[in-house]
Amino acid sequence: MLYWIAEQLGFPGVLNLIRYLSFRTGGAIATALFIGLIIGPRFIGWLRVRQGKGQPIRADGPQTHLAKRGTPTMGGLMILTSLALSILIWMDLRNPFVWACLFVTLGFGAIGFLDDYDKVRKASTAGVPGRVRLLLEFAIAGIAAWIISYENGTQLFLPFTNGLYLDLGWFFPVFAAFTIVAFGNAVNLTDGLDGLATMPVIIASVAFMLIVYLVGNVKFADYLGIPHVARAGDLAIFCGAMIGAGLAFLWYNAPPAAVFMGDTGSLALGGALGTIAVVAHHEIVLGIIGGLFVVEAMSVIIQVFWYKRTGKRVFRMAPIHHHFEQLGWSEPTVVIRFWIISLVLALAGLSTLKLR
């Protein structure tokens, strides 16, 4: 919005700074952080009053989690509010990639909200049926994938190569939708401990803020041998807003959490990262940078697959962060060590930009 206003005025005086992507990205971070910190206390208080008993806690989970009863969920609404307002203020809303990412973020957030609401209303960990959720997610992701492929082509670029790609043709929207849905649910599965999903999302957002900036700049893209996507650089502002909103939420989500993100936030943020990766043609790199989320999701898939066929468990409990809790690791130990792993994986993912 500010960009359009400044453009109409001819970028006079200090408004000339709005021309610069780096300035607007910094503005998006600061704006989302400020809004999140300001609305946080009243928002959490409102959720506590409305929800009463808060998020239901798994009866078969670690016993230490029983102390978290009464903690409100749906804190993702706070993230989405600060994120959306920051985006509307700082981004060029004429960019179709902005609307594709925002459509997935808010759409997945709405699905997560329905799931959280159902859990709180029923006082049960079982929310919206899984098949219904997946159907809605694929419908939203499919629309976004079609928009992106229409604007951006259907190539799947391979990391560690210089310009090598596979043209997936009509199959690309299917692949892109799967990437978005899979990553949304991977982040959702990771959100099981105080701050566990929040910081890795922030780390991944920092990494993709750099990636989309480089992808959107023809000189940097040519130098690094990565695909150039015109106007993708604007999504650095989107990533900046995610960073600011995530930091504000982490202020209240740090152990012991005053509020849980819930599916409202985790599905939305995971879907947003997946969509940004599809726009930047870095879907495979997303699997490296977000490797922690991939491992969390795979631990659940492996556990369910093996248990159904043998009646035995591979892990003491899935997702895998609960496995380490069952081994005797304290919750803060699991969280901080997983943060470190996330940071290392993000650096590994960024290294693909030069190792070609």
Side-chain angles (χ1 to χ4, degrees):
M1 182 65 71
L2 280 180
Y3 183 86
W4 181 82
I5 293 173
E7 185 181 52
Q8 297 303 307
L9 297 174
F11 297 103
V14 71
L15 290 181
N16 187 54
L17 289 172
I18 296 178
R19 286 179 182 268
Y20 299 101
L21 185 59
S22 56
F23 177 79
R24 285 186 286 140
T25 301
I29 296 173
T31 301
L33 176 61
F34 177 77
I35 293 173
L37 290 175
I38 291 298
I39 68 174
R42 290 193 175 185
F43 205 93
I44 294 170
W46 177 76
L47 288 174
R48 186 175 289 113
V49 170
R50 297 290 297 178
Q51 295 178 13
K53 295 181 180 180
Q55 176 172 298
I57 305 298
R58 286 175 59 176
D60 61 341
Q63 294 302 301
T64 54
H65 289 204
L66 297 178
K68 300 182 179 184
R69 283 177 174 166
T71 305
T73 186
M74 299 186 195
L77 289 173
M78 187 174 80
I79 298 175
L80 294 178
T81 300
S82 53
L83 172 66
L85 289 176
S86 181
I87 288 169
L88 292 175
I89 291 171
W90 291 103
M91 294 201 72
D92 182 358
L93 301 179
R94 294 167 295 183
N95 189 334
F97 295 142
V98 173
W99 290 108
C101 291
L102 197 57
F103 177 66
V104 170
T105 304
L106 298 181
F108 275 34
I111 296 170
F113 173 82
L114 291 175
D115 196 54
D116 287 334
Y117 178 79
D118 204 40
K119 290 175 182 176
V120 171
R121 184 175 61 87
K122 295 177 180 176
S124 169
T125 55
V128 177
R131 291 183 179 180
V132 175
R133 270 184 45 165
L134 284 175
L135 181 62
L136 293 173
E137 289 167 15
F138 270 106
I140 292 170
I143 293 171
W146 181 83
I147 294 172
I148 294 169
S149 61
Y150 179 80
E151 297 285 338
N152 203 19
T154 57
Q155 300 86 9
L156 173 63
F157 285 82
L158 305 179
F160 305 108
T161 65
N162 192 344
L164 183 62
Y165 64 85
L166 302 174
D167 193 339
L168 300 182
W170 63 266
F171 183 71
F172 180 83
V174 178
F175 169 76
F178 173 80
T179 299
I180 295 167
V181 171
F183 208 75
N185 283 280
V187 174
N188 180 226
L189 290 170
T190 306
D191 183 34
L193 301 178
D194 297 350
L196 179 59
T198 311
M199 181 54 77
V201 164
I202 293 171
I203 292 171
S205 297
V206 172
F208 270 95
M209 181 173 66
L210 177 60
I211 289 173
V212 293
Y213 178 81
L214 296 173
V215 165
N217 187 298
V218 64
K219 292 183 179 179
F220 287 139
D222 182 64
Y223 170 72
L224 293 170
I226 59 178
H228 168 62
V229 180
R231 305 186 75 181
D234 280 358
L235 293 183
I237 303 169
F238 201 108
C239 291
M242 289 176 64
I243 294 166
L247 288 172
F249 180 75
L250 187 61
W251 184 266
Y252 302 105
N253 186 234
V259 63
F260 296 142
M261 184 187 300
D263 293 2
T264 308
S266 56
L267 267 180
L269 293 176
L273 284 171
T275 310
I276 291 168
V278 170
V279 171
H281 284 307
H282 275 66
E283 300 92 341
I284 298 176
V285 175
L286 174 66
I288 301 174
I289 291 175
L292 175 68
F293 304 118
V294 175
V295 170
E296 290 273 10
M298 289 303 299
S299 71
V300 174
I301 294 171
I302 292 169
Q303 185 87 320
V304 172
F305 175 84
W306 194 250
Y307 185 78
K308 284 185 175 180
R309 280 152 184 78
T310 68
K312 298 180 180 179
R313 292 178 171 85
V314 178
F315 307 102
R316 292 193 177 187
M317 188 175 181
I320 198 169
H321 55 262
H322 290 318
H323 170 78
F324 289 105
E325 282 191 290
Q326 300 287 23
L327 289 177
W329 291 19
S330 67
E331 181 171 337
T333 299
V334 176
V335 171
I336 293 174
R337 287 178 178 173
F338 275 40
W339 286 0
I340 294 170
I341 293 171
S342 181
L343 178 60
V344 171
L345 289 171
L347 294 174
L350 288 174
S351 72
T352 65
L353 295 175
K354 192 57 181 173
L355 299 178
R356 294 175 183 266

